[in-house]
Amino acid sequence: MSVKTFNALTLLCPLCRVPLDDSIATRCVCPRCARSFPIFHGIPDLRSEPDEYSGEELATLLARFDESSLEDLIRLRLSFNQMPADVADLHLKHELVGNERGAERTEQIVRFAGDAVDFSGIALDIGCGMGGMVHALAQRFAWAVGIDVALPDLIIAQKRCQEAGLDNVTFICASAEALPFADGTFAMMNATDVVEHVPQQRLFLSEGYRVLQPGGYFCFNSPNRYNIFGPEPHVNLWGVGFLPRAWMPAYVKLFKGMGYTGKRLLSYLELRAMLHQTLGADKARNGTASGPSFQILGTAIRASSARKGWKHRLAFRYPFLVDLANRFLKPFVPQYEVVVSKPR
Ligand SMILES: [Zn+2]
């Protein structure tokens, strides 16, 4: 199965940024560096780093793809992750409502963008996982693309969209820091729960901005390092962000008995500095009067949070408390929504 693309979507070599030769069904080849990228069930693996995922897991998912349902494949994927049954069950439930979560998030980012969204363009979900968001974007936009570094998740995302009869989607295994797309490709871009896991956060931002089309929107959330309303969301432990970064792993190990790697939560000031420096540089380079613009929205209550407790009850009863927290406690709210726009 070859890679499905849209006329305005050209896949580039992530290293050379020249269009790939996709005339062969099983791999894409870069005409400049001659690197060959394999294609799995229509999904090209355009990572520049070698595969760190289990070949056995991938082979099993591919072998059972046609005969299995979406739920079967999700169960199969989770069975490879050797987690306690109750945790696996939570993950399964989370993924089974992936379409609903994707639809909710799509409405939210369209609202952030106001009425200026170009639905005739292509939408991109960075870190798309098992594809709930791409499933929703494909129903609003002419075409939807999902990228992730986890190839097994993309196989499941492909199944999700295939089961739904969507034929305007493309999944690509790629890194957020080396997007295999031409400048100005996307009308709308989303990245949910991604920036805190990306090793080079400025590159994530500048790459995202590069592939955004003029008049387009790039929306991503960023959990706050200095959140005073809840625990660190990945390890469910209070106070992690207030320690020096070098001490965080030992603290998490002490109270949770688990590692703390591959996570770097930004504070409000760090997030703002990153946006100013990365997008400001682009503004200076282009010398345009109306350069990139961005807004950072504080979120005191995350509606989609799995941990619905006293805060949700309080917020439901007294919505003005949420407004107050968003306005006066902005450096300390649980997370931010960032909306970046490119001038026309
Ligand atoms: Zn190349």
Side-chain angles (χ1 to χ4, degrees), residues 268-288:
Y268 177 61
L269 291 180
E270 286 169 337
L271 179 62
R272 211 175 57 172
M274 177 178 96
L275 285 155
H276 272 297
Q277 286 162 16
T278 310
L279 300 177
D282 187 89
K283 199 179 218 170
R285 197 165 46 244
N286 290 329
T288 47

Side-chain angles (χ1 to χ4, degrees), residues 13 16 30 33:
C13 171
C16 314
C30 172
C33 69

Side-chain angles (χ1 to χ4, degrees), residues 205 209 212 215-220 275-276 278-280 282-283 288-296 338-344:
L205 182 60
Y209 190 74
L212 191 61
Y217 293 87
F218 177 19
C219 305
F220 65 93
L275 285 155
H276 272 297
T278 310
L279 300 177
D282 187 89
K283 199 179 218 170
T288 47
S290 63
S293 63
F294 63 85
Q295 46 176 325
I296 305 173
V338 179
V339 184
V340 176
S341 58
K342 199 179 238 187
R344 277 174 203 283

Side-chain angles (χ1 to χ4, degrees), residues 89-99 101 160 304 306:
D89 194 50
L90 276 177
H91 276 264
L92 178 67
K93 283 187 177 130
H94 185 73
E95 290 305 335
L96 289 179
V97 296
N99 292 356
R101 278 189 295 121
R160 184 191 297 276
S304 65

Side-chain angles (χ1 to χ4, degrees), residues 278-333:
T278 310
L279 300 177
D282 187 89
K283 199 179 218 170
R285 197 165 46 244
N286 290 329
T288 47
S290 63
S293 63
F294 63 85
Q295 46 176 325
I296 305 173
L297 310 165
T299 320
I301 293 285
R302 193 172 177 182
S304 65
S305 170
R307 306 177 193 88
K308 285 193 165 56
W310 60 270
K311 276 176 292 167
H312 283 83
R313 288 195 295 275
L314 204 64
F316 183 74
R317 207 143 164 201
Y318 308 109
F320 72 94
L321 287 179
V322 180
D323 294 337
L324 283 178
N326 285 342
R327 186 172 307 177
F328 296 108
L329 294 173
K330 197 162 181 180
F332 306 107
V333 298

Side-chain angles (χ1 to χ4, degrees), residues 220-276:
F220 65 93
N221 71 320
S222 177
N224 182 12
R225 176 181 178 180
Y226 297 128
N227 167 21
I228 58 166
F229 291 87
E232 202 288 350
H234 305 92
V235 290
N236 199 20
L237 178 64
W238 289 79
V240 179
F242 291 89
L243 295 171
R245 289 195 193 276
W247 296 5
M248 291 176 187
Y251 177 76
V252 173
K253 187 86 192 163
L254 182 64
F255 288 99
K256 288 283 173 178
M258 59 203 284
Y260 192 70
T261 54
K263 296 170 227 348
R264 187 175 183 275
L265 275 62
L266 295 162
S267 70
Y268 177 61
L269 291 180
E270 286 169 337
L271 179 62
R272 211 175 57 172
M274 177 178 96
L275 285 155
H276 272 297

